[in-house]
Amino acid sequence: MTTVAFPAALLERLRRARRVAALTGAGVSAESGVPTFRDVHSGLWARYRPEDLASPEAFARDPALVWNWYAWRRQNVAAAAPNPAHFALAALATLIPEFTLITQNVDGLHRRAGSQALIELHGSIQRTVCSGRQRHEVEQWTEDGSEPPRCPVCSALLRPDVVWFGESLPHDTIDAAFRAAEECEVFLCIGTSTLVYPAAELPFFAHRHGACVVEVNPHNTPLSSVADFRLSGPAGEVLPTLQR
Ligand code: BV8
């Protein structure tokens, strides 16, 4: 098994760096068995595109369908475990004076791998809120699958605490991510197709502000021609070579 490894020059740069930022996408959870958005979903959900389900319009049109899609994803994630990529990033945070981990993923696997200081750009399916104005967080509910359960406080339908397509990211969250991208010396971009904005802008923004940009992805993306280093391999094999 040939593993693509971090070159010595890049390891040296990371050892000297004071500020490092990392952006992860669905690819970092692929080796945990969590399907990426670009993977063809198998079985029940194969006929839907995530963009067609992860939106306020889809939820308004068919709340039960969207609620059940997230229930399926919560089960999928509960059965998954963090992989060596998640653990390598948690370990890296202990070595870099100022390490900012930014994730587009909503699966909670970085937290389960021990990453605490984490920017979850798109929220988390581990949290459920009501779709009312107050976004009450709800921890227990009973459901019969016909439609989402309702908030015990305001009776609005419950939904996952995630940012849907067409919804704005919380200002403090996206501001913190752009600040980290602006100030870092090295920006690691791991397992993302860099297609979903504004998250996809982060590595380009970091590059424009002088950071050394490293892409870890077995396939090319719009970032590949801009990155200073491209490590073309699976994150679960490439990231553990950071510990060398
Ligand atoms: C917004 C939560 C303002 C829900 C998600 C320009 C500027 C601003 C907005 C837009 C814009 N252009 C278009 C937009 C609108 C839209 C957008 O970007 N659309 C895309 C489709 C073009 N953006 C928005 O709506 C955002 N909101 O901007 O607010 C606004 C408001 C109204 C109108 C306009 C603007 C909100 C976006 C957030 C959506 N929510 N998630 C949920 O999860 O259910 S996004 C969701 O999809 C994920 O969180 C993730 O961000 C994205 C999927 O991307 P990836 O993570 O990269 O996954 P993908 O499958 O694509 O790729 C996996 C990669 O891994 C591949 O490259 C593969 O090669 C690689 N890989 C595979 N295996 C491995 C691997 N890599 C390493 N190791 C492996 N083993």
Side-chain angles (χ1 to χ4, degrees):
M1 170 185 69
T2 55
T3 292
V4 174
F6 272 74
L10 180 51
L11 286 175
E12 183 49 34
R13 188 145 189 181
L14 279 164
R15 283 195 191 99
R16 290 199 317 269
R18 176 159 190 75
R19 292 192 180 115
V20 173
L23 171 70
T24 65
V28 86
S29 297
E31 289 150 276
S32 297
V34 178
T36 69
F37 279 71
R38 296 267 148 347
D39 287 347
V40 176
H41 271 206
S42 57
L44 172 64
W45 302 104
R47 61 184 182 279
Y48 297 99
R49 287 184 333 137
E51 291 90 329
D52 298 334
L53 291 172
S55 75
E57 294 76 17
F59 187 66
R61 189 171 51 245
D62 191 342
L65 176 73
V66 173
W67 174 262
N68 290 328
W69 180 53
Y70 281 96
W72 172 75
R73 287 175 64 189
R74 272 195 297 274
Q75 282 171 355
N76 185 298
V77 166
N83 69 62
H86 296 106
F87 290 115
L89 288 167
L92 188 63
T94 65
L95 303 174
I96 306 282
E98 291 181 44
F99 179 73
T100 307
L101 180 55
I102 307 160
T103 189
Q104 301 171 85
N105 300 338
V106 297
D107 57 31
L109 288 178
H110 282 303
R111 286 196 190 285
R112 285 169 57 189
S115 294
Q116 278 113 18
L118 178 63
I119 298 178
E120 291 176 312
L121 287 178
H122 298 150
S124 171
I125 57 173
Q126 308 301 345
R127 290 190 305 271
T128 295
V129 292
C130 80
S131 53
R133 238 203 301 274
Q134 305 287 321
R135 283 291 184 101
H136 301 109
E137 186 168 351
V138 179
E139 296 193 345
Q140 288 179 336
W141 60 82
T142 52
E143 58 183 294
D144 62 11
S146 59
E147 73 156 20
R150 292 187 175 272
C151 174
V153 177
C154 70
S155 298
L157 290 173
L158 297 189
R159 56 164 284 178
D161 189 17
V162 298
V163 178
W164 278 332
F165 287 97
E167 292 184 323
S168 297
L169 282 66
H171 290 301
D172 55 345
T173 304
I174 194 66
D175 289 352
F178 272 95
R179 196 163 42 252
E182 181 175 8
E183 294 171 356
C184 69
E185 297 151 65
V186 181
F187 190 97
L188 307 173
C189 194
I190 305 156
T192 178
S193 56
T194 58
L195 293 174
V196 174
Y197 283 82
E201 179 60 24
L202 288 164
F204 298 94
F205 187 75
H207 194 261
R208 288 199 298 275
H209 284 81
C212 167
V213 173
V214 182
E215 180 175 54
V216 179
N217 193 323
H219 302 111
N220 278 334
T221 74
L223 180 66
S224 300
S225 58
V226 170
D228 299 287
F229 289 87
R230 237 195 82 55
L231 304 178
S232 177
E237 291 172 25
V238 173
L239 290 184
T241 66
L242 274 166
Q243 313 308 331
R244 283 198 182 147

